[in-house]
């Protein structure tokens, strides 16, 4: 995997910022959970495709519904992105559910349980 160029990093940051704003203000789809955030964005160097990693606060069904809602609103999101970000091509967006935050919380909980058990065993 090669290191991102400065231009690509700048494009990723700008797309992340605008995508977050669009999701927060523009999406009216009831399937999209209110606590949906864009964690990271990877725009291809040719600006044709974009992977948007999203995090959804809620249960499994809310996460699946949010991804479906975002996929159905992709045309609107691309149009808004083209309007706000001045790029040669507006990338085709693929939404990917990012569960790293949830994974981190679960790991932290398990570590706390183990350390609590160890402390209880010493006393």
């Amino acid at each position: 995997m090669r290191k991102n160029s400065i231009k690509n990093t700048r494009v990723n940051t700008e797309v992340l910022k605008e995508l977050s704003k669009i999701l927060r203000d523009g999406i009216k789809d009831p399937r999209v959970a209110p606590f949906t955030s864009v964690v990271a964005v990877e725009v291809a160097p040719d600006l044709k495709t974009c992977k948007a990693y999203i995090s959804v606060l809620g249960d499994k069904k809310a996460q699946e519904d949010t991804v479906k809602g975002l996929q159905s609103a992709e045309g609107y999101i691309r149009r808004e992105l083209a309007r706000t970000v001045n790029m040669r091509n507006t990338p085709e967006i693929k939404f990917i559910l990012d569960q790293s935050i949830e994974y981190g919380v679960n790991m932290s909980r398990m570590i706390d349980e183990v350390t609590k058990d160890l402390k209880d065993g010493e006393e």
Side-chain angles (χ1 to χ4, degrees):
M1 189 169 103
R2 70 183 203 89
K3 188 173 174 260
N4 280 346
S5 67
I6 294 171
K7 176 188 168 207
N8 200 305
T9 304
R10 213 177 291 147
V11 168
N12 286 344
T13 305
E14 192 64 28
V15 169
L16 174 82
K17 190 167 60 173
E18 291 302 324
L19 204 55
S20 296
K21 197 179 296 180
I22 292 167
L23 290 184
R24 186 181 63 237
D25 301 334
I27 301 293
K28 302 284 190 275
D29 193 328
R31 292 178 290 184
V32 178
F35 297 111
T36 301
S37 59
V38 183
V39 178
V41 170
E42 290 179 12
V43 179
D46 63 354
L47 304 178
K48 299 277 187 203
T49 59
C50 169
K51 292 179 185 174
Y53 296 93
I54 59 165
S55 175
V56 180
L57 187 66
D59 60 347
K60 201 77 162 161
K61 185 179 180 336
Q63 293 174 350
E64 291 169 2
D65 287 348
T66 298
V67 170
K68 287 177 186 169
L70 289 174
Q71 286 170 344
S72 70
E74 189 210 351
Y76 168 77
I77 294 169
R78 279 184 75 184
R79 199 165 45 250
E80 288 298 306
L81 201 58
R83 196 174 56 77
T84 56
V85 179
N86 186 18
M87 292 193 296
R88 190 174 5 145
N89 298 322
T90 304
E92 186 178 314
I93 305 167
K94 181 177 184 199
F95 294 99
I96 300 169
L97 194 60
D98 182 39
Q99 297 175 325
S100 60
I101 295 171
E102 185 179 338
Y103 178 77
V105 169
N106 288 337
M107 289 304 283
S108 179
R109 188 179 305 124
M110 286 193 278
I111 290 171
D112 289 345
E113 287 174 9
V114 168
T115 56
K116 182 177 163 246
D117 290 344
L118 288 175
K119 286 179 183 175
D120 290 344
E122 291 174 0
E123 292 175 7

